[in-house]
Amino acid sequence: TNPLKRAADKVADALQGGPQGPEDGIPGKPGPKTPPVAEPTDPHEPFPPKPDQTGPDTVSPTGQPTGADQARMAQSGSYLTNAQGTRLYDTDHSLKAGPRGPVLLQDHHLREKVMHFDHERIPERVVHARGAGAHGVFRSYGTAANVTKAAFLAEDVETPVFVRFSTVLGSRGSSDTVRDTRGFATKFYTSEGVFDLVGNNIPVFFIQDAIKFPDVIHAGKPHPDREIPQAQSAHDTFWDFVTLHTEAAHHTLWNMSDRGIPRSYRTMEGFGVHTFRLVNAAGQTTLVKFHWKPKLGVHSLVWEEAQIINGVDPDFHRRDLADAIEAGAYPQWEFGIQTFPDTPDQTFEGIDLLDPTNIVPEELAPVQPIGLLTLDRNPSNFFAETEQVAFHVGHLVPGIDITDDPLLAGRLFSYLDTQITRLAGPNFPQIPINRPHAPVNDMLRDGFHQTAVHRGAAPYRPNSLDGGCPFTAGADLGAYVETPVRVPEATKVREAPESFSDHFSQPRRFWLSMSPPEREHIIGAYTFELGKCYEVAIRERALQVLANIDPELCAGVAAGLGLPAPEPTVPLADVQPSPALSQVGRTWPTDGRIIGILTGPDGDLDGVRAVRQAVLDGGMVPLIVAPVGGTLGDGADALTVQRTYATARSVEFDAVLVAGTPGVGADAYGARDAKAGQPTAGAATPDPRVGLLLGEAFRHGKAIGAAKGGEAALEAAGIPLDAPGVIAGDTATGVLSELTRLLGAHRVWERFPSAA
Ligand code: HDD
């Protein structure tokens, strides 16, 4: 009568006539051939637990959720308890023998509290330790449906995502704006399981084979004796490695370009780097490279700005991401693919697609948009989400497969392996941020930090005890089936293919694609970094690498280092520039850009009020900067001061507008009106911090405006009113419209010397 019992009997019947016992054969002679086992095929519920096997309660006798439901329980309820749920009457005093007496070992609360605290930290990621994350949604356009059967890429499918951005070299507490590659890792919680795209903001990698990864990271991390420098590539071991392994020349050039110091995570491109293989419903395959294109455009800092920010606001990128999401200015990226035919040689237009130091110029293979990513939710707990998220290039879904890129192969091992140390065991997929949104029915059991209370008796298959479940699915039922790619007959070797030995033509293309100011920045970056190396031999070797990329680049850096520029040792590659690689020359939306409005008690307050509103109406962020804090003006119209001369620094603003006389600052710089708290009107000496702020904004190529007397502040700072990108006008709002136009180009590029 019990249906589960009937099912079990059916399975038992099916097993009749299964494996034969030894008595069926004649001793010493081969027995009859073992017929295939008839596996159970009908899905059934496993037998219900026995009455004495109900598992931990999730609800207490009084109806309260118990500790078994930890995710819901955390930090809730009115009364403080210990970890065992016992209410506490005091958490500020150890249990003592009298108020001045010794602390007693029997104080369980003291020991539990300190024990837990002692173990609050987990090992930081061995690379990409510093990062910031956000939740969001990915909506697919359906334009990839002809090349992949991945369900989340069908038309109009919405998939929840979690994205973590990171620097590579620095420790968890290092600065955001160091010169480095940035990680761009996306977890798609798809209906077919998790797909992770673990990419970077640079489309190429330092090395071609994962076996060198420990070496390149040892070289880039701080020196092992004194553990300096932190989060920098400007030191001998890094440059020793990248000049001895010339395959690193391309990635290094990207790092030395403006791409190495992004303005914001929101203004970075992302790349899957490797070539992946997509598979459609008909089983046809296409090779692809994945791209993320930021809606706000690709923008960078300049080096001096980045250095100042490292001190002024080490959390600059983290703050920017969280603030933008909180303000509802949700960052967006378009997801795109470059597609290539899956030919046996795995090349496209002579470019080896398995070599991760290569890009394919967009002019040769346009990036086709396939979906839109919107980040719209900040994490609620950094540790639980951003720190514990575990990405893996091997987390693939049907329709997306790998290629034989040897860098990718090693990654497929590393990401699983590293979590065992970092997240302390094999059960990290059960951590809430890592849980798939598709049903999980694995046969993985036990282990450290097991939180599942698995039912059933037979975690193996086939079985006849848990109703035969689980069954395997087959591609028609959504199983992940590896593409049956032909493996060429070959001899085992430790070698790279000949096509991996061209190390200079791709960096040369990148260099030739840069505008004059971008080239100036690159020369400056190499000169800075190599100038920090102690070994002259390393500087000279680096110059040789640069000579093989481009003589102008080499000569510029050599001049800065005071060394002779060597001749190239290989013929210069004959390559065409790829205009898509330059960040200059395009116009972008100005949403979310920050306008600093400098004013003072004697400023043009009506003008400030109007321009503040105009900035907001334009979808940008106004920040009012005045000599001291508090408000400007009276009554309902009073303006709140958001930054003072003490807290403001130019690096926070994308453009600066001086509205009226900015006035002088605190006591050290001029007399103050005791009643208003603001400096006295007409105090003569200009505040040096205003001069510093305007001077920096000018040097960094930012648009600067002045209205109603603001011109005097510019002149005092030595800024010519007729310089490019300096706008003086009668009204602050009038000046703003020109400032906004300039901001669309991100910087006033003409202001960099090379553009003159
Ligand atoms: Fe990696 C983390 C990106 C090569 C080994 N990697 C990590 C993260 C990103 C990348 C974005 C941070 C993920 C997060 O936010 O948690 N890695 C890349 C890219 C590579 C690359 C784009 C080349 C195309 N990585 C690479 C190689 C190896 C690793 C060749 C090892 C052989 N990467 C790791 C790791 C990390 C990691 C040790 C550290 C923490 C983690 O994985 O979860 O396994």
Side-chain angles (χ1 to χ4, degrees), residues 586-743:
R586 273 172 285 175
T587 306
W588 299 99
T590 56
D591 304 44
R593 304 313 291 265
I594 300 171
I595 314 284
I597 304 172
L598 262 71
T599 189
D602 320 315
D604 164 28
L605 295 190
D606 285 340
V608 171
R609 230 169 261 122
V611 81
R612 183 180 170 278
Q613 193 53 48
V615 170
L616 287 171
D617 293 346
M620 296 174 288
V621 182
L623 286 180
I624 295 184
V625 188
V628 294
T631 50
L632 296 170
D634 301 317
D637 278 349
L639 286 161
T640 303
V641 176
Q642 286 147 305
R643 298 288 186 276
T644 68
Y645 292 173
T647 60
R649 196 73 196 254
S650 70
V651 291
E652 196 179 359
F653 313 119
D654 293 299
V656 178
L657 173 56
V658 189
T661 319
V664 294
D667 297 334
Y669 302 102
R672 279 165 55 138
D673 177 336
K675 191 157 149 264
Q678 295 286 354
T680 48
T685 330
D687 192 307
R689 292 169 298 183
V690 173
L692 179 69
L693 194 152
L694 293 173
E696 282 173 358
F698 186 75
R699 273 206 306 287
H700 302 156
K702 290 177 178 169
I704 300 176
K708 289 263 161 69
E711 296 87 341
L714 266 57
E715 276 167 349
I719 297 174
L721 293 179
D722 59 353
V726 177
I727 310 123
D730 291 341
T731 63
T733 39
V735 170
L736 177 70
S737 58
E738 185 59 8
L739 275 191
T740 312
R741 193 188 63 75
L742 290 166
L743 251 188

Side-chain angles (χ1 to χ4, degrees), residues 414-471:
S414 184
Y415 290 74
L416 206 51
D417 187 52
T418 198
Q419 313 306 350
I420 295 173
T421 300
R422 192 172 77 82
L423 298 171
N427 288 314
F428 59 88
Q430 295 180 6
I431 296 172
I433 190 70
N434 294 324
R435 280 182 205 157
H437 291 202
V440 173
N441 194 13
D442 60 30
M443 291 189 297
L444 310 172
R445 289 295 180 272
D446 307 347
F448 281 115
H449 313 298
Q450 178 60 260
T451 55
V453 185
H454 288 109
R455 288 172 55 184
Y460 52 83
R461 73 159 305 283
N463 71 69
S464 62
L465 296 173
D466 282 349
C469 291
F471 303 119

Side-chain angles (χ1 to χ4, degrees), residues 117-375:
F117 168 77
D118 289 344
H119 300 276
E120 271 176 12
R121 293 290 165 268
I122 61 171
E124 65 177 29
R125 288 167 174 82
V126 60
V127 284
H128 296 265
R130 178 166 181 84
H135 298 268
V137 62
F138 174 76
R139 190 175 58 76
S140 67
Y141 300 155
T143 40
N146 57 337
V147 284
T148 178
K149 61 184 174 185
F152 83 102
L153 291 174
E155 193 173 342
D156 257 343
V157 178
E158 293 211 338
T159 303
V161 295
F162 185 77
V163 177
R164 183 174 180 271
F165 303 105
S166 47
T167 52
V168 180
L169 291 176
S171 298
R172 261 194 68 183
S174 56
S175 286
D176 278 345
T177 62
V178 293
R179 183 177 292 284
D180 195 359
T181 307
R182 300 296 185 287
F184 190 139
T186 310
K187 192 175 280 296
F188 297 84
Y189 303 92
T190 90
S191 60
E192 296 175 304
V194 165
F195 168 56
D196 286 341
L197 184 61
V198 199
N200 280 341
N201 76 327
I202 289 181
V204 289
F205 205 64
F206 285 111
I207 47 169
Q208 295 163 316
D209 188 320
I211 199 165
K212 289 189 188 180
F213 191 69
D215 307 323
V216 64
I217 298 302
H218 290 168
K221 284 274 184 180
H223 286 223
D225 49 358
R226 302 180 186 187
E227 216 194 23
I228 48 178
Q230 176 59 242
Q232 307 281 321
S233 53
H235 57 108
D236 286 80
T237 50
F238 174 81
W239 286 96
D240 194 32
F241 184 93
V242 297
T243 54
L244 288 169
H245 297 259
T246 45
E247 74 207 62
H250 196 192
H251 191 163
T252 308
L253 180 54
W254 277 76
N255 274 97
M256 295 306 117
S257 79
D258 291 350
R259 305 277 181 148
I261 39 174
R263 159 68 180 83
S264 155
Y265 291 136
R266 298 185 285 148
T267 60
M268 285 186 340
E269 285 184 318
F271 304 91
V273 182
H274 311 285
T275 302
F276 289 82
R277 177 178 275 112
L278 297 187
V279 190
N280 68 12
Q284 294 156 329
T285 60
T286 309
L287 300 182
V288 292
K289 282 189 177 286
F290 290 114
H291 293 248
W292 291 112
K293 297 257 179 208
K295 283 282 193 188
L296 295 178
V298 194
H299 304 303
S300 295
L301 301 168
V302 294
W303 183 227
E304 188 186 59
E305 240 183 329
Q307 288 176 299
I308 295 170
I309 297 170
N310 280 341
V312 170
D313 185 7
D315 306 302
F316 190 72
H317 285 157
R318 185 180 280 194
R319 188 188 311 285
D320 171 88
L321 180 68
D323 282 357
I325 293 174
E326 192 176 281
Y330 302 140
Q332 290 189 312
W333 287 260
E334 205 153 51
F335 196 34
I337 46 173
Q338 288 180 294
T339 58
F340 320 103
D342 191 356
T343 53
D345 61 0
Q346 313 274 281
T347 64
F348 182 76
E349 301 275 339
I351 298 169
D352 191 335
L353 296 173
L354 299 188
D355 177 350
T357 67
N358 285 342
I359 62 156
V360 178
E362 290 184 31
E363 292 75 14
L364 294 181
V367 177
Q368 304 159 48
I370 63 170
L372 184 71
L373 166 70
T374 307
L375 296 182

Side-chain angles (χ1 to χ4, degrees), residues 4 10 30 49 60 62 81 183 189 245 370 376 389 467 522 524 532 550 582 596 632 663 724:
L4 287 168
K10 206 172 132 202
S60 76
T62 56
T81 72
Y189 303 92
H245 297 259
I370 63 170
D376 56 7
V389 67
I522 292 173
K532 291 273 191 171
D550 187 85
S582 171
L632 296 170

